[in-house]
Amino acid sequence: QIPHRKHHSTLETYVRVCYDVFMEKLKSNNRPQNIIHFMTKADYILIAGCLLMAVFLGIFFITNRRSGSIVTISHDGMELYRIDMEDVSVYPHYYLIEYRENGQDIHIMHSEQYLDLPEAQHYNLLSVVDGSVSMEAADCRDQICVQHIPIKNDRESIICLPNKLVIEIRSRNDFKMQQPGSPDPDGKSEDESNESLDGVAG
Protein backbone atom coordinates (compact mmCIF):
# COMPACT_ATOMS: atom_id res chain seq x y z
CA GLN A 1 0.00 0.00 0.00
CA ILE A 2 2.91 2.37 0.61
CA PRO A 3 4.08 2.33 -3.08
CA HIS A 4 0.49 2.86 -4.15
CA ARG A 5 0.26 6.01 -2.02
CA LYS A 6 3.55 7.31 -3.51
CA HIS A 7 2.24 6.71 -7.02
CA HIS A 8 -1.05 8.46 -6.21
CA SER A 9 0.83 11.43 -4.72
CA THR A 10 3.09 11.73 -7.78
CA LEU A 11 0.13 11.65 -10.18
CA GLU A 12 -1.72 14.27 -8.17
CA THR A 13 1.33 16.54 -8.15
CA TYR A 14 1.72 16.17 -11.91
CA VAL A 15 -1.93 17.08 -12.51
CA ARG A 16 -1.67 20.12 -10.29
CA VAL A 17 1.48 21.33 -12.04
CA CYS A 18 -0.18 20.94 -15.44
CA TYR A 19 -3.23 22.80 -14.21
CA ASP A 20 -1.13 25.66 -12.82
CA VAL A 21 0.83 25.98 -16.08
CA PHE A 22 -2.41 26.03 -18.08
CA MET A 23 -3.97 28.72 -15.87
CA GLU A 24 -0.86 30.90 -16.12
CA LYS A 25 -0.99 30.73 -19.91
CA LEU A 26 -4.69 31.52 -19.87
CA LYS A 27 -4.16 34.55 -17.64
CA SER A 28 -1.31 35.71 -19.85
CA ASN A 29 -3.49 35.54 -22.96
CA ASN A 30 -6.27 37.54 -21.27
CA ARG A 31 -4.09 40.39 -20.03
CA PRO A 32 -5.26 43.85 -21.20
CA GLN A 33 -1.89 44.69 -22.73
CA ASN A 34 -2.12 41.69 -25.01
CA ILE A 35 -5.59 42.73 -26.14
CA ILE A 36 -4.34 46.24 -26.83
CA HIS A 37 -1.39 44.78 -28.72
CA PHE A 38 -3.75 43.07 -31.16
CA MET A 39 -5.98 46.14 -31.67
CA THR A 40 -5.77 47.71 -35.10
CA LYS A 41 -5.73 51.37 -36.07
CA ALA A 42 -9.37 51.10 -37.13
CA ASP A 43 -10.29 49.93 -33.61
CA TYR A 44 -8.64 53.00 -32.08
CA ILE A 45 -10.44 55.30 -34.53
CA LEU A 46 -13.79 53.64 -33.75
CA ILE A 47 -13.33 53.98 -29.98
CA ALA A 48 -12.22 57.62 -30.28
CA GLY A 49 -15.19 58.40 -32.53
CA CYS A 50 -17.65 56.87 -30.05
CA LEU A 51 -16.14 58.86 -27.18
CA LEU A 52 -16.27 62.12 -29.13
CA MET A 53 -19.88 61.46 -30.15
CA ALA A 54 -20.85 60.82 -26.52
CA VAL A 55 -19.20 64.09 -25.44
CA PHE A 56 -20.88 66.14 -28.19
CA LEU A 57 -24.30 64.63 -27.45
CA GLY A 58 -23.91 65.37 -23.75
CA ILE A 59 -22.96 69.00 -24.45
CA PHE A 60 -25.87 69.35 -26.89
CA PHE A 61 -28.50 68.07 -24.46
CA ILE A 62 -27.15 70.17 -21.58
CA THR A 63 -26.99 73.42 -23.58
CA ASN A 64 -30.39 72.90 -25.21
CA ARG A 65 -32.38 72.20 -22.07
CA ARG A 66 -35.10 74.82 -21.87
CA SER A 67 -36.66 76.06 -18.70
CA GLY A 68 -40.38 75.50 -18.88
CA SER A 69 -42.88 78.19 -17.97
CA ILE A 70 -46.24 76.38 -17.82
CA VAL A 71 -47.15 73.66 -15.32
CA THR A 72 -49.92 71.32 -16.39
CA ILE A 73 -51.92 69.14 -14.01
CA SER A 74 -53.49 66.08 -15.65
CA HIS A 75 -55.57 63.24 -14.26
CA ASP A 76 -56.03 59.95 -16.08
CA GLY A 77 -54.78 61.51 -19.33
CA MET A 78 -57.04 64.59 -19.14
CA GLU A 79 -55.57 68.03 -18.54
CA LEU A 80 -57.29 69.80 -15.64
CA TYR A 81 -55.26 72.86 -14.78
CA ARG A 82 -52.43 75.11 -15.94
CA ILE A 83 -50.14 77.27 -13.86
CA ASP A 84 -48.07 80.11 -15.30
CA MET A 85 -44.81 80.09 -13.34
CA GLU A 86 -44.15 83.69 -14.32
CA ASP A 87 -47.05 84.64 -12.04
CA VAL A 88 -45.51 82.82 -9.09
CA SER A 89 -43.20 84.88 -6.92
CA VAL A 90 -40.27 83.72 -4.80
CA TYR A 91 -42.82 82.70 -2.19
CA PRO A 92 -44.36 79.24 -2.65
CA HIS A 93 -47.84 78.70 -4.05
CA TYR A 94 -49.66 75.54 -3.03
CA TYR A 95 -52.15 73.55 -5.09
CA LEU A 96 -54.22 70.87 -3.38
CA ILE A 97 -55.69 68.26 -5.73
CA GLU A 98 -58.50 66.47 -3.90
CA TYR A 99 -60.22 63.37 -5.31
CA ARG A 100 -63.84 62.84 -4.36
CA GLU A 101 -66.36 60.18 -5.35
CA ASN A 102 -63.57 57.73 -6.27
CA GLY A 103 -61.86 60.25 -8.51
CA GLN A 104 -65.00 61.26 -10.41
CA ASP A 105 -65.07 64.68 -8.74
CA ILE A 106 -61.70 66.46 -8.57
CA HIS A 107 -61.21 69.75 -6.73
CA ILE A 108 -58.09 71.91 -7.14
CA MET A 109 -57.52 74.58 -4.50
CA HIS A 110 -54.82 77.24 -4.68
CA SER A 111 -53.29 79.17 -1.80
CA GLU A 112 -50.13 81.01 -0.86
CA GLN A 113 -50.32 79.32 2.53
CA TYR A 114 -49.75 75.65 3.28
CA LEU A 115 -53.10 73.94 2.95
CA ASP A 116 -54.64 71.54 5.44
CA LEU A 117 -54.62 68.01 4.12
CA PRO A 118 -57.94 66.16 3.93
CA GLU A 119 -58.39 63.09 6.10
CA ALA A 120 -61.22 61.34 4.28
CA GLN A 121 -60.20 61.93 0.65
CA HIS A 122 -57.32 61.01 -1.62
CA TYR A 123 -55.09 64.00 -2.39
CA ASN A 124 -51.86 65.45 -3.78
CA LEU A 125 -50.33 68.70 -2.60
CA LEU A 126 -48.19 70.56 -5.13
CA SER A 127 -45.90 73.53 -4.52
CA VAL A 128 -44.57 75.98 -7.11
CA VAL A 129 -41.84 78.43 -6.17
CA ASP A 130 -39.04 80.25 -7.96
CA GLY A 131 -39.38 78.29 -11.19
CA SER A 132 -39.45 74.81 -9.66
CA VAL A 133 -42.25 72.36 -8.86
CA SER A 134 -42.36 69.85 -6.01
CA MET A 135 -44.83 67.34 -4.64
CA GLU A 136 -45.15 68.32 -1.01
CA ALA A 137 -47.52 65.59 0.16
CA ALA A 138 -49.73 62.77 -1.08
CA ASP A 139 -51.81 60.00 0.43
CA CYS A 140 -50.39 57.29 -1.86
CA ARG A 141 -48.72 54.36 -0.18
CA ASP A 142 -45.34 54.31 -1.95
CA GLN A 143 -44.67 58.10 -1.70
CA ILE A 144 -42.55 57.98 -4.87
CA CYS A 145 -44.01 61.25 -6.14
CA VAL A 146 -43.22 62.99 -2.83
CA GLN A 147 -39.63 61.75 -2.91
CA HIS A 148 -39.16 62.96 -6.51
CA ILE A 149 -36.66 65.79 -6.88
CA PRO A 150 -38.09 69.22 -7.82
CA ILE A 151 -38.57 69.76 -11.56
CA LYS A 152 -37.99 72.99 -13.49
CA ASN A 153 -37.10 72.18 -17.10
CA ASP A 154 -39.28 71.68 -20.14
CA ARG A 155 -40.79 68.16 -20.43
CA GLU A 156 -39.85 67.14 -16.90
CA SER A 157 -42.65 65.54 -14.92
CA ILE A 158 -43.75 64.11 -11.57
CA ILE A 159 -46.13 61.16 -11.71
CA CYS A 160 -48.34 59.72 -8.99
CA LEU A 161 -49.50 56.37 -10.34
CA PRO A 162 -51.97 55.47 -7.55
CA ASN A 163 -53.86 58.75 -8.06
CA LYS A 164 -53.36 58.77 -11.86
CA LEU A 165 -51.85 62.26 -11.61
CA VAL A 166 -49.21 63.75 -13.92
CA ILE A 167 -47.50 67.07 -13.25
CA GLU A 168 -45.54 68.27 -16.27
CA ILE A 169 -43.62 71.42 -17.15
CA ARG A 170 -44.18 72.67 -20.68
CA SER A 171 -42.88 75.48 -22.83
CA ARG A 172 -45.18 78.41 -23.54
CA ASN A 173 -44.69 77.72 -27.26
CA ASP A 174 -46.64 74.46 -26.85
CA PHE A 175 -49.81 76.48 -26.23
CA LYS A 176 -49.60 79.06 -29.03
CA MET A 177 -52.13 77.10 -31.09
CA GLN A 178 -54.57 76.94 -28.18
CA GLN A 179 -58.17 76.24 -29.12
CA PRO A 180 -60.98 78.55 -27.92
CA GLY A 181 -62.35 77.51 -24.54
CA SER A 182 -59.27 75.50 -23.53
CA PRO A 183 -57.53 76.37 -20.25
CA ASP A 184 -55.25 79.37 -20.44
CA PRO A 185 -51.83 79.43 -18.69
CA ASP A 186 -53.23 80.53 -15.33
CA GLY A 187 -55.52 77.52 -15.16
CA LYS A 188 -58.80 79.03 -16.42
CA SER A 189 -60.66 78.64 -19.66
CA GLU A 190 -61.30 81.67 -21.85
CA ASP A 191 -64.95 81.55 -20.84
CA GLU A 192 -63.99 81.57 -17.17
CA SER A 193 -61.23 84.18 -17.24
CA ASN A 194 -63.00 86.34 -14.68
CA GLU A 195 -63.43 83.56 -12.14
CA SER A 196 -61.11 82.77 -9.25
CA LEU A 197 -58.18 80.40 -9.59
CA ASP A 198 -59.64 78.31 -6.79
CA GLY A 199 -62.41 76.06 -7.92
CA VAL A 200 -63.47 72.76 -9.26
CA ALA A 201 -61.81 70.92 -12.13
CA GLY A 202 -63.06 67.76 -13.69
Side-chain angles (χ1 to χ4, degrees):
Q1 294 179 354
I2 294 176
H4 176 74
R5 288 182 179 177
K6 288 183 178 180
H7 175 73
H8 179 75
S9 177
T10 303
L11 180 62
E12 183 179 1
T13 302
Y14 177 78
V15 171
R16 288 184 176 179
V17 170
C18 292
Y19 176 79
D20 292 338
V21 171
F22 173 77
M23 293 302 296
E24 286 296 325
K25 289 184 178 180
L26 186 63
K27 291 179 180 178
S28 177
N29 291 334
N30 289 333
R31 287 177 183 172
Q33 56 266 32
N34 290 339
I35 295 175
I36 295 175
H37 177 73
F38 289 105
M39 289 178 62
T40 65
K41 185 177 180 180
D43 295 327
Y44 287 110
I45 295 175
L46 179 62
I47 293 174
C50 291
L51 291 176
L52 287 175
M53 181 65 68
V55 171
F56 286 135
L57 286 175
I59 294 174
F60 174 80
F61 284 118
I62 291 174
T63 56
N64 286 275
R65 292 184 70 182
R66 299 179 298 170
S67 295
S69 56
I70 304 295
V71 181
T72 63
I73 301 176
S74 302
H75 177 262
D76 201 14
M78 180 180 296
E79 184 180 313
L80 304 177
Y81 206 83
R82 293 180 189 171
I83 305 166
D84 191 341
M85 287 200 289
E86 293 183 357
D87 295 336
V88 179
S89 63
V90 293
Y91 300 101
H93 286 228
Y94 297 96
Y95 298 84
L96 179 64
I97 302 100
E98 188 175 356
Y99 310 92
R100 303 175 184 177
E101 303 295 333
N102 295 323
Q104 300 300 317
D105 187 14
I106 302 175
H107 288 239
I108 299 179
M109 293 174 286
H110 165 240
S111 175
E112 295 184 12
Q113 303 295 326
Y114 195 91
L115 292 163
D116 294 331
L117 303 178
E119 297 181 359
Q121 307 291 343
H122 296 296
Y123 65 87
N124 289 87
L125 180 62
L126 188 71
S127 70
V128 181
V129 57
D130 199 21
S132 66
V133 183
S134 303
M135 188 69 72
E136 294 289 333
D139 72 317
C140 54
R141 182 178 300 177
D142 52 28
Q143 295 290 290
I144 293 177
C145 59
V146 178
Q147 298 170 6
H148 198 288
I149 61 173
I151 58 175
K152 62 179 179 179
N153 293 310
D154 187 21
R155 298 298 179 180
E156 290 184 337
S157 62
I158 299 176
I159 300 174
C160 180
L161 284 178
N163 290 335
K164 302 179 181 179
L165 184 73
V166 177
I167 309 299
E168 185 179 16
I169 297 181
R170 305 273 297 276
S171 170
R172 190 177 299 275
N173 295 332
D174 295 339
F175 303 100
K176 284 186 175 181
M177 301 303 294
Q178 180 175 300
Q179 297 297 324
S182 60
D184 63 18
D186 63 4
K188 300 171 290 186
S189 68
E190 293 181 358
D191 298 331
E192 299 171 342
S193 58
N194 294 326
E195 295 182 3
S196 171
L197 274 173
D198 303 341
V200 180

